[in-house]
Amino acid sequence: MQAVDLTERRLVVAANRGPVSFHDDPSGEPVVTRGPGGLVTVLTEVLRHHPGAWVAAALSDAERRLAAEERAVEVALDGEVYRVRYVAPSRAAYHKYYNVVSNPMLWFIQHYLWDLGRHPDIRAEEMDAWHNGYVPVNGLFAKAVIDEVRGGRDGRRRRDQACDGSDALVLLHDYQLYLVAPEVRAACPGTFLHQFVHIPWPQSDYWRVLPEHIRESVFRGLLGNDVVAFHTRHYVRNFLRCCEYLLELEVDQASCTVRCDGREVWVRAYPVSIDPASLRAAADSRRARTAERALRSRRREFLLLRVDRMDLSKNIIRGFAALDRFLELHPEFKERLTFLALLQPSRQDVEEYVTYRERVERIVADVNTRHGTVDWMPIDLRIQDDFPVTLAAYAQYDVLFVNAISDGMNLVAKEGPVLNRHDGVLVLSEYAGAYEELGAFAIGVNPFNIEGQAEALFRALTMSPEERADRAGMLSRVVEENSVEKWVQAQFADIAAKLAAGC
Ligand code: F6P
């Protein structure tokens, strides 16, 4: 087998969010900040490994103006230079694509969040959102990717020239872009297409929620890639079974491959991770150190911490119910602990998220009223997006609480142990992707079992210092030894192997 040099390939990355966000300040001047979310951080790592263009949706007026240029623009931020190409769907189409189909429809299916006796109702609005939102927005992404695949290496355009893409590598990311690959393949059949799904892949029966033609499009769309990637082996198995049961395709469970339209698609697991060195550097910033001093001066004997986007999949309400139960069972811990909940606001244009936030605020008020005293409240709820405070809290926690109903990976479970200085205990949902790597050194919990989560809190808070130190040491070691760099390298190695194998 001949080795393949991927550095020769032009790289095009596509994800709903870009590496940076442009906003107009009050004087109308564009301001650039880092794009939000863990996916942006890890894709930045990919581009550090192999420079290329990043196709993303224009979310602000400033980005819409850049989209009008119909080319990748260079943006510098924090010493890095990105080439970003924005696509600008109409606001109505973007709403249908993002707020109706991607979230909640696909997100809820993939995280098992639909309460099937009651939801979802697939009516004209949802069908319209698919046909006039998800499909055309994916089409716009595909068009931009094709254009970048055809763009000259030296920046000159060769759009009108025939180009089969055999010098290009396209990395598609996530559930917003399931329909992009087949269009790119049809236009540039030589392109190597790779799609990473950052969220869980549920069992086949749950996909039956979607009307058959939509489900087929999702699967056929993903199978338009050469490699389909997930965070865990469990999601790989689910995907392979779906291909067998729902599409009746030829699947080889041993080699994790699917035969589709005469091609062999590789289905692989690469557990995403973090970059411990840059996380430590961020924690050493002035703002993070100031935040840590503030936290330390106010902390009680024990600090319990959760850090999440305000998302139903994170199981925030059952977490507070578990604390409530724990304090009922163990009143001796009253006034000795604080449960700090750092929750970033999310998707507030989607009704389910608005209602969820209200329910979270209500249970916090209830638990605080039930157990609080004149100068102590058990829960310190902060709905904010303040990374320095998060870094400070990572250093200080005694218990890091991650009880997700379902979670692609959960990077909080990896960030916390790297920065923590208290031999903190990780309470980790068995249904978070991170459980495959970290479960042995965490206290595992079933996310639905509130009683079990209350017991886990007790076990964590009464664990011997020796056991805490052993477990904390192992957690940070596993993360240090499996950094995001390995994640990138493993994917590039498989891409090179598949190209070399010529299958
Ligand atoms: O992969 C999950 C993801 O798309 C990540 O980008 C991030 O964790 C989260 O969901 C962000 O969601 P949104 O872009 O909708 O805010």
Side-chain angles (χ1 to χ4, degrees), residues 30-316:
V31 182
V32 187
T33 53
R34 185 162 292 284
L39 186 142
V40 166
T41 315
V42 298
L43 287 196
T44 305
E45 191 61 32
V46 173
L47 288 179
R48 203 170 284 145
H49 186 86
H50 187 139
W54 184 323
V55 180
L59 304 178
S60 65
D61 288 342
E63 287 165 1
R64 289 178 170 279
R65 287 197 295 277
L66 292 171
E69 298 197 23
E70 295 194 350
R71 67 182 177 93
V73 292
E74 286 205 347
V75 194
L77 181 71
D78 300 339
E80 310 268 359
V81 177
Y82 302 96
R83 290 184 54 236
V84 193
R85 176 170 181 145
Y86 287 106
V87 298
S90 70
R91 285 196 168 77
Y94 188 82
H95 169 76
K96 291 170 186 181
Y97 147 89
Y98 183 83
N99 292 326
V100 182
V101 179
S102 302
N103 313 295
M105 186 60 73
L106 293 173
W107 181 273
F108 275 33
I109 287 178
Q110 294 197 232
H111 290 85
Y112 295 102
L113 291 176
W114 289 120
D115 171 3
L116 294 184
R118 298 194 301 156
H119 302 289
D121 291 339
I122 299 180
R123 297 174 188 267
E125 188 198 339
E126 285 71 23
M127 297 306 272
D128 170 63
W130 174 260
H131 292 291
N132 298 312
Y134 196 83
V135 173
V137 174
N138 269 256
L140 285 180
F141 266 93
K143 195 168 157 291
V145 168
I146 292 165
D147 209 24
E148 286 302 318
V149 164
R150 290 177 172 168
R153 174 169 291 281
D154 57 1
R156 269 186 284 123
R157 324 292 301 280
R158 48 180 182 131
R159 258 197 205 176
D160 28 308
Q161 288 175 23
C163 163
D164 83 337
S166 51
D167 59 350
L169 166 60
V170 171
L171 304 181
L172 305 169
H173 283 267
D174 242 348
Y175 61 101
Q176 299 94 345
L177 304 182
Y178 284 151
L179 310 184
V180 173
E183 283 196 46
V184 179
R185 183 174 295 286
C188 306
T191 309
F192 192 98
L193 284 147
H194 184 286
Q195 185 146 5
F196 206 109
V197 179
H198 291 264
I199 62 177
W201 198 269
Q203 289 165 3
S204 58
D205 277 349
Y206 208 66
W207 279 102
R208 295 186 197 272
V209 169
L210 285 179
E212 193 177 346
H213 74 284
I214 296 185
R215 196 175 70 218
E216 283 266 330
S217 304
V218 164
F219 279 85
R220 296 264 169 204
L222 265 173
L223 291 166
N225 288 281
D226 295 285
V227 177
V228 179
F230 298 95
H231 288 310
T232 70
R233 293 187 301 273
H234 181 68
Y235 309 148
V236 166
R237 281 196 297 274
N238 282 350
F239 182 79
L240 292 171
R241 285 200 190 108
C242 285
C243 291
E244 241 178 343
Y245 299 158
L246 299 174
L247 283 89
E248 296 180 0
L249 291 172
E250 191 187 326
V251 169
D252 184 338
Q253 298 281 351
S255 63
C256 296
T257 53
V258 182
R259 282 214 76 80
C260 180
D261 300 334
R263 291 180 302 107
E264 184 177 286
V265 181
W266 288 12
V267 186
R268 295 286 182 270
Y270 310 97
V272 74
S273 193
I274 58 163
D275 176 12
S278 51
L279 190 71
R280 273 193 293 271
D284 203 30
S285 70
R286 196 172 51 80
R287 287 187 55 211
R289 279 187 281 129
T290 310
E292 196 181 338
R293 271 197 301 279
L295 211 61
R296 232 184 2 241
S297 68
R298 294 197 357 227
R299 65 167 282 153
R300 300 267 167 160
E301 186 182 344
F302 298 109
L303 180 67
L304 276 54
L305 174 68
R306 77 172 305 145
V307 178
D308 284 303
R309 246 177 348 96
M310 183 78 90
D311 194 292
L312 289 81
S313 64
K314 304 294 182 183
N315 208 20
I316 299 161

